[in-house]
């Protein structure tokens, strides 16, 4: 069984890039949104549209509930990326940044600081506009992560130690 790709789709600028990689590798893509915006999707059996009810974090909750350790999640939402990593899944942002257990803590902390500053009336800058190099970096990173997930799923875990038999 191959890994699936989950897209946090409401604000995802790289859906078409995900579809290209998934089609080439034969992966299923779950496009999760709250349905408030009409997202046009190709009508193929390997793309699954998931529409959840409107509300804060409802799509994130659905993804976090369904993603598994061999899957890949495409999201720029830092808390969702953290939840996916906790389940052992791979997470990548739309600009090609890999979310890892090494960098997610500082990203969550930075997000909390920015939220606090906004609550005091300070202006914080949002993400930088998407550049062509971001899409290229995203494609490369997604391909790498999907290939790694496929290899990890295909090969059984290797025992790093054996009990001593007397």
């Amino acid at each position: 069984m191959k890994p699936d790709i989950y897209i946090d789709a409401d604000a995802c600028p790289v859906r078409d890039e995900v579809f290209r990689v998934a089609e080439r590798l034969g992966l299923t893509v779950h496009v999760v949104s709250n349905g408030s915006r009409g997202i046009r999707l190709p009508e193929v059996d390997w793309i699954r549209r998931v529409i959840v009810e409107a509300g804060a974090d409802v799509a994130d909750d659905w993804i976090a509930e369904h993603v598994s350790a061999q899957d890949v999640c495409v999201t720029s939402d830092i808390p969702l990326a953290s939840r996916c990593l906790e389940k052992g899944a791979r997470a990548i942002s739309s600009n090609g940044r890999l979310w890892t257990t090494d960098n997610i803590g500082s990203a969550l902390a930075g997000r909390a600081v920015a939220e606090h500053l906004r609550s005091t009336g300070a202006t914080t800058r949002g993400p930088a506009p998407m550049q062509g190099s971001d899409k290229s970096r995203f494609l490369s990173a997604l391909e790498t992560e999907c290939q790694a997930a496929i290899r990890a799923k295909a090969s059984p875990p290797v025992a790093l130690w054996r009990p001593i038999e007397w």
Side-chain angles (χ1 to χ4, degrees), residues 13 19 23 28 30 39 53 63-64 69 74 80 83 87 95 108 115 124-125 127-130 141 163:
F19 299 154
E23 182 176 31
T28 299
H30 303 271
I39 297 174
E53 57 189 69
I63 292 170
V74 176
L80 174 58
R83 293 169 71 185
K87 292 187 79 174
N95 68 3
L108 285 166
E115 282 181 354
T124 61
R125 65 171 201 222
M130 192 78 158

Side-chain angles (χ1 to χ4, degrees), residues 45 67 103 130 147 150:
D45 62 349
V67 73
N103 68 16
M130 192 78 158
Q147 292 288 356
I150 290 168

Side-chain angles (χ1 to χ4, degrees), residues 112-126:
V113 167
E115 282 181 354
H116 173 72
L117 290 173
R118 284 191 297 274
S119 74
T120 64
T123 302
T124 61
R125 65 171 201 222

